[in-house]
Amino acid sequence: MSKENGIKGGLKQVLGGDLRQFVMVGAVIVALIIFQILNNGRMITSSNFQNIISGNAYVFTLSIGMVMVIILGQIDLSVGSVAGFVGMTVAITASEYGWPWWVATLGGLGIGALIGAWQGFWLSKMGIPGFISTLAGMMIFRGGVIWMSHSISRPAPEELSWFGAGSLPEWGPNTGLNNSTLLLGVIAIAAVVFMQLRKWKRLATAESKPPLWPVIVRLVVIVGVIGYLTYLFGSGNIGTSFPVPGLIVGFLVVIYHIITQHTRFGRHIYAVGGNKAAAALTGVNVSRTYFLAMFNMSILAAVAGIMFIGRSTAAGPSDGNSWELDAIAAVFIGGAAVSGGIGTVVATIVGGLFMAVLNNGLMLYGVSADQTQVIKGLVLLAAVAVDVLNKQQGRPSIFSRLSRKKAAPAEIPQEQIATESAA
Amino acid sequence: MEQDSILQMQHITKTFPGVRALDDVTMTVKRGDIHAICGENGAGKSTLMKVLSGVHPFGSYEGRILYQGEEVTFANIRASEEAGIVIIHQELALIPELSITENIFLGNEPMKGGLIDWHTARKRAIELLARVGIDIDPSIQIKNLGVGQQQLVEISKALSKDVKLLILDEPTSALNESDSENLLEILRGLQARGITCIMISHKLAEIAKIADAITVIRDGKTVESYPVVAGQVDEDRIIRAMVGRSLDQRYPEHTSNIGEVVLEVHDWRVEHPAIPGRLVCKDESFYVRAGEIVGFAGLMGAGRTELARSLFGHSYGIFQSGRLSIGGKDVKAQNVEAAIQAGLSYLPEDRKVLGLNLLDTVKRTIVSANEKAILRGPLLDSAKEVQVAEQYRKLLNIKTPDVGVGVNTLSGGNQQKVVLAKWMYPDPQVLLLDEPTRGIDVGAKYEIYKLIQQLADEGKAVVVISSELPELLGITDRIYTICEGRITGEMATKDADQETLMRLMTTTEAMA
């Protein structure tokens, strides 16, 4: 199959099957370089990178839940309101009722779970489309925040700022870098090398062994990028490191990547989103799958809300406004399909990163928030349009259609005839 | 006699890429007749009507259509409707949320001063409804009408277009006895007003009652076309003509090794999911033994699929009563997961709509009905998944370079093998295979027949539901016939022939 010659073929082999993901990563890198030039070197710096990550961790968290909901063919418009509601609850219970910060936080997560059960109930038991039930949720919880807070901001427990914007500790010998960040980098590199080699080993069968060199080239590139990022995040001001919220997001990405790709629940999300009727006839509990996805989404919204008030040290009545749109944009830039069945957690995070870099770069360049909004809208449209065009070009060419027809002559027409009598 | 024909279709040939759906079909319909067209599912009846009504536009077929003595070249349905040819499809094309009046005049609204003249529309709707013998308020929404009345609204709609030639595709397939009777009465009334009807029907009794002429189509060719006297129709002659193709060696040789009863169903009763009171399975009982391949013969809508899906974890209709046992043990599976657990597998008739997630890969599809088997702790073991998929790829000879590719890249036959593999992997005791060879080419069919026989040889009880009688006669050991939710007959395949089966499939009286 992969006997392609020349640079193009080689490149394909190096990138592996997931071409799209690498293109996306490439786009992020290109955007970074462009902004680096436009902003006279203020883009790719330790503090700015730390800023991008901790400033967008809440969007990444939301988009992880959102991609699962969208793969199911649903949507959750309430996540911003839910995040704001939970954040405010935590702040109020801590500052006014004097709950310890961790009790307030657990309480917030509990409320997230309750809200998730509520949203899940309307979709899975009552059959109300997510668009409507979560539109209602968006209003209910936004109203709830304002009602509960009397439109006044509350201070967030100080301990939460570590989760929202904290840094990892310094320890050990003086390496010139933050040693916690260095350790993370080493772990990440080891994990990537292990995974890639294991994948390569599995592909090797008795008859054929895929060449090793593309794997090596790929590894060199990935290790280079991770190494550079480690250096960048680790070499900031003393006391700064790869941000804690980034670590939380990284942890969530790994967990949810495993859930979506390697558990029955994950398979069922794709199955229901791809063909609900077929999934039901395969023994998938469609209503439970709907419930769990919505349930999970609200819990992640609660996590996002808590991370956010930690970073901003206060909960405000308008926290979470239009966050759902940022999360949804990240999902679609990451290549998910509105009709469901397609999308991955990792691609969504890359999509979210792209938006975050764009936002940050434009801000540094001095573009106002309103203009940034216009540009982000256009970029979303362009990204999805490129995707659509790519898929059309991916259709079999005339030549391959002709040759396929020869292989299986009576296929298509018989189906056409069959429709005449289909009851 | 030639001059009083309203329609002559001459040497119509229609090919879809690779297949001849219609092969030199010629028929003449006389003005004022009720002309019946008979044929098996897929014989080409509906294609012929689509050619006539412009769904397949002029130029996409060969041959000539003479209508009222002139050659016509319809480019679309609108053109044929303007000429007075109206087709009423099997699935009604009414919009449930709109009123009767709105439906009758949809796309053809009476206008006054640039606006729709609802007053006139309503008045005319009442007149039209009176012509088909119903007296109801035309502002009622379609969704509140029964199927019988909906059918009549469709006819009113046709009448509103000044129809001269009315084509009805299986008009009574969804109707009960008295509604059918009523409809036939109305067709006679239309006939008296000089409207010519072409009726496609599977129900020979109805044809016998009202047809003035009969055309039988088989494999895209006209077999016979002759005038009859209503009430004196030779049903046997029609059946012979419908099924008269010879059985060639399209079925692998096989000797069954039949054992104990595995699947037993008693007094199974299921109600239609949407129409209260209508039963899709009427207290039926049957059994299948180990190693036995049992065929379910019935026409579309007879209740075969409904029965099978109802057995499969009540996945269709509203279960009312009945007993199901597998290997002597009562099974009370109320959902698909439990049914799979109990040893049932159901391969759905429509591969693309019900059988597959076309966005998924081959390997994921193959394990999808039995993911528990590849669990390692809470995680799915992807190495085992590949191993299982490879095993079935070899066993079923699925033509794909790699089990990691999407199922949408495979041909229909190979997709069907993937679905079959999916249902073999749970290692069921009973396989319900619904139209297992529909829409796939002859070579792939042969392979699937062999697989079915192989499954039976492993001691499984296999049910094959099929619209193709030769197929059932070719691969089964025993056949049940089904008509309108009833099992109307049971016979050993060696004693069965197509004529007998077709008769049982079109009768509602159960054999003793």
Side-chain angles (χ1 to χ4, degrees), chain A residues 1 198 202 258-268 270-275 277-285 288 340-342 404-405 407-423, chain B residues 16-19 21 41-47 90-91 300 309 312 315 336-337 340 348 351-357 359 364 367-369 371-372 375 378-380 382-383 385 411-413 422-423 438-441:
Chain A
M1 280 302 282
R198 194 177 65 160
R202 280 201 175 156
I258 291 172
I259 288 177
T260 51
Q261 303 303 320
H262 299 285
T263 67
R264 293 188 73 196
F265 170 59
R267 287 285 170 91
H268 293 175
Y270 284 96
V272 172
N275 185 342
L281 276 180
T282 309
V284 173
N285 188 333
R288 190 176 63 197
I342 298 172
R404 220 177 37 178
K405 231 168 239 169
E411 291 283 311
I412 307 153
Q414 288 205 3
E415 271 159 14
Q416 276 173 329
I417 297 166
T419 58
E420 84 167 31
S421 42
Chain B
F16 294 110
V19 101
N41 299 322
K45 300 162 299 190
S46 295
T47 309
Q90 201 171 349
E91 296 119 78
M300 290 289 166
R309 283 187 57 185
F312 189 57
S315 55
V336 172
E337 210 178 349
I340 296 171
R351 181 172 65 239
K352 287 189 174 151
V353 176
L354 298 173
L356 282 174
N357 172 5
L359 299 172
R364 282 170 162 230
V367 301
S368 63
E371 283 164 349
K372 276 185 191 139
L375 278 181
L379 301 184
L380 299 166
S382 46
E385 177 176 75
S411 71
K422 162 178 161 182
W423 288 115
R438 180 189 285 173
I440 63 180
D441 62 78

Side-chain angles (χ1 to χ4, degrees), chain B residues 85-196:
Chain B
I85 300 177
V86 179
I87 182 162
I88 297 179
H89 291 280
Q90 201 171 349
E91 296 119 78
L92 301 179
L94 298 171
I95 297 169
E97 296 295 329
L98 294 185
S99 72
I100 297 177
T101 312
E102 286 167 317
N103 266 289
I104 288 179
F105 296 104
L106 191 64
N108 191 22
E109 294 88 351
M111 307 294 278
K112 201 162 85 181
L115 297 174
I116 298 174
D117 181 0
W118 286 119
H119 182 69
T120 308
R122 189 184 155 84
K123 242 172 55 193
R124 282 188 52 204
I126 293 172
E127 286 166 23
L128 290 165
L129 290 173
R131 279 176 68 186
V132 296
I134 44 175
D135 175 25
I136 52 172
D137 181 356
S139 59
I140 292 175
Q141 284 175 308
I142 291 297
K143 65 175 180 188
N144 297 323
L145 301 182
V147 197
Q149 286 183 320
Q150 289 188 17
Q151 187 75 263
L152 296 178
V153 170
E154 274 273 19
I155 294 174
S156 309
K157 187 175 168 182
L159 294 177
S160 81
K161 292 170 186 160
D162 194 20
V163 58
K164 295 188 185 69
L165 176 61
L166 181 65
I167 303 164
L168 300 123
D169 191 354
E170 296 274 359
T172 61
S173 64
L175 302 187
N176 64 28
E177 205 101 331
S178 69
D179 279 346
S180 304
E181 199 62 42
N182 184 29
L183 182 76
L184 298 185
E185 206 48 55
I186 283 160
L187 291 185
R188 275 207 199 96
L190 295 180
Q191 185 180 20
R193 289 164 174 271
I195 295 174
T196 312

